[in-house]
Amino acid sequence: MEDGALPMLIAPPALSTAPLEVPHRLLMGPGPSNVPARVLAAAGLPLLGHMHPQYLKIMDECQAWLRYAFQTTNELTLAVSGSGHAAMEAGIANLVEAGDPVLVAENGLWGERVSDIADRYGAEVKTTKVAGGEVFTLGQIEEELRRHRPKLLFLCHGDSSTGALQPLVGMGELCHKYGCLLFVDCITTIGGVPVFIDKWGIDVAYTGAQKVLNVPPGASPITFSPRAVQRIASRHSKVGSFYLDMTLVGRYWGVGGPRIYHHTGLISNVYVLREGLALLAEEGLEAAWARHRQSVDTLHAGLERMGLQLFVKEKAHRLPTVSTVCVPAGVKWDAVSKFIMEKYSMEIAGGLGPTAGKVWRIGLMGANANPANVTLVLAAMEDALRHVGFLRRSAL
Ligand SMILES: Cc1ncc(COP(=O)(O)O)c(C=O)c1O
């Protein structure tokens, strides 16, 4: 019997083949955030070849805008193919060799993730922890650096699982005093909160597309200081991941030698990233930071007027882009988010990691951080809290 005459082993699934439709949602959780029309439209532009000069020019533009967003002159600044975890893993894969002591300052879920990844790459992982919602002081970090003498320190700038904003001023200088590099997760902060990579002496930092940049996930920005590049160049062993080898990926982005093909670039993801970064540059970082500040101040005041409490007690340590709001005793967090999703088509997330079951997480990220959305979230929360019996009609 000819191959073509064999019966098919797998029949086509009994699914509708009509064009895909998805509901519109206001994404007011910790990410992804809503994507502005201009960015969304770029996803529909025709593909270019991943080595075509016109596409390479778009990559160059992304790099220039990324240097602005990160406030850095670092040459090795690019977008890794993959979501934020890919950038997180790229940092570890390139900076860590088996047996290297790595210190992870865990103040929420993301430190735990980095510890796990560093362990997989053979690092001697040491951790230091603070309770969820708290941050590390320079004094605490110095003590740990003195004790463990790590080659790399990880800090999460904006921990979306706890809503805490880790102060970074002075951390780079401290690390360098002890011969250590500073590696920072800026996924929820770039574009929404001041970040100065060069001024603060940060050696490696990464961010995500789908948070403040309002871009579909897929290409994740990362930057390496000359010190970090030097560390990579002096490795004794090959980087344990071919896909995330920054020396090779850097060459595709035109850094460190003539361009080479490494893997097929995420063409459409780079288009949308370009648009998200262009919109940020158009508004200006200072204006974007101020808009996030104003939005979150109004949000917090409104939530407190309803009798709710914020999970992060110290005002200065509250992350403007993701707020964690304590679930009052006797209230089911998921009944509230479900009500808001069903009635308002709006996402408000529950807790994650150390805050699971304890908080709601409300995101104000990028274009979503505006007075109309704040008013809507507050109205939806108030309605939901009445619905579950926490607020009575006369309460406000
Ligand atoms: C602070 C932080 N780091 C890392 C990540 C992981 O990013 P991704 O889910 O894009 O892989 C997230 C995602 O929510 C995050 O908020």
Side-chain angles (χ1 to χ4, degrees):
M1 223 196 300
E2 302 232 336
D3 275 3
L6 286 173
M8 298 301 291
L9 293 179
I10 312 289
L15 295 173
S16 163
T17 54
L20 185 63
E21 279 185 36
V22 294
H24 178 78
R25 299 231 151 109
L26 184 56
L27 300 173
M28 303 305 286
S33 56
N34 290 97
V35 178
R38 171 173 158 182
V39 179
L40 216 47
L45 292 173
L47 287 196
L48 291 165
H50 61 283
M51 298 299 278
H52 289 183
Q54 294 86 345
Y55 177 64
L56 300 178
K57 184 169 165 280
I58 297 169
M59 291 170 76
D60 290 345
E61 288 180 7
C62 275
Q63 277 178 303
W65 275 320
L66 283 175
R67 291 191 185 103
Y68 169 67
F70 279 122
Q71 288 293 290
T72 185
T73 57
N74 289 341
E75 211 197 343
L76 190 54
T77 300
L78 47 79
V80 166
S81 299
S83 74
H85 278 85
M88 187 191 284
E89 184 152 345
I92 296 290
N94 286 268
L95 293 173
V96 170
E97 292 191 78
D100 281 353
V102 169
L103 176 62
V104 180
E106 292 184 0
N107 61 349
L109 180 78
W110 306 107
E112 291 171 26
R113 285 282 159 96
V114 168
S115 293
D116 183 353
I117 296 171
D119 182 49
R120 288 165 193 255
Y121 280 88
E124 282 283 319
V125 181
K126 308 285 177 202
T127 56
T128 176
K129 297 177 202 266
V130 285
E134 291 182 10
V135 298
F136 296 91
T137 62
L138 284 171
Q140 278 169 310
I141 293 295
E142 178 152 27
E143 204 181 305
E144 298 293 328
L145 289 173
R146 218 183 272 130
R147 179 139 64 107
H148 300 295
R149 298 283 165 170
K151 291 179 97 173
L152 187 70
L153 166 72
F154 172 83
L155 286 169
C156 185
H157 189 206
D159 193 295
S160 57
S161 69
T162 64
L165 178 69
Q166 170 63 52
L168 294 175
V169 175
M171 290 292 181
E173 210 180 319
L174 199 56
C175 284
H176 299 153
K177 180 172 149 193
Y178 289 90
C180 173
L181 297 183
L182 177 57
F183 177 37
V184 182
D185 180 320
C186 293
I187 286 216
T188 60
T189 54
I190 293 291
V193 178
V195 179
F196 296 94
I197 297 300
D198 289 1
K199 195 153 77 178
W200 292 349
I202 298 170
D203 294 293
V204 184
Y206 57 91
T207 192
Q210 75 275 20
K211 308 274 183 177
V212 180
L213 298 178
N214 302 130
V215 169
S220 300
I222 189 164
T223 186
F224 293 77
S225 71
R227 254 195 204 90
V229 171
Q230 182 53 40
R231 171 79 62 85
I232 298 171
S234 60
R235 289 177 64 99
H236 301 292
S237 56
K238 274 188 180 179
V239 170
S241 161
F242 176 84
Y243 198 66
L244 297 174
D245 184 325
M246 285 300 116
T247 310
L248 301 176
V249 176
R251 289 282 300 279
Y252 177 43
W253 284 79
V255 180
R259 286 200 198 250
I260 52 163
Y261 160 72
H262 175 255
H263 65 274
T264 305
L266 301 185
I267 303 156
S268 303
N269 285 97
V270 171
Y271 293 169
V272 289
L273 182 62
R274 186 250 182 228
E275 291 300 83
L277 291 167
L279 286 174
L280 179 62
E282 208 168 84
E283 179 178 15
L285 282 172
E286 297 97 320
W289 297 336
R291 181 168 50 77
H292 283 82
R293 181 78 270 154
Q294 277 162 11
S295 302
V296 79
D297 284 349
T298 315
L299 176 73
H300 288 178
L303 292 168
E304 284 175 337
R305 263 199 308 277
M306 279 176 225
L308 294 171
Q309 288 182 0
L310 292 155
F311 181 72
V312 179
K313 297 295 162 240
E314 182 61 52
K315 218 172 166 181
H317 299 156
R318 289 177 187 157
L319 175 61
T321 50
V322 181
S323 298
T324 39
V325 187
C326 297
V327 179
V331 173
K332 285 200 169 120
W333 74 267
D334 48 349
V336 169
S337 0
K338 187 164 173 275
F339 176 85
I340 292 176
M341 177 60 86
E342 282 169 4
K343 183 160 174 190
Y344 294 88
S345 204
M346 181 194 300
E347 181 193 32
I348 301 281
L352 179 70
T355 58
K358 297 182 188 161
V359 302
W360 292 287
R361 293 183 300 154
I362 302 179
L364 289 172
M365 292 193 281
N368 277 10
N370 65 55
N373 281 353
V374 172
T375 306
L376 208 55
V377 170
L378 288 172
M381 281 297 284
E382 191 185 322
D383 193 10
L385 290 171
R386 286 216 167 92
H387 174 75
V388 298
F390 176 71
L391 291 179
R392 272 171 292 119
R393 279 251 150 244
S394 56
L396 288 179

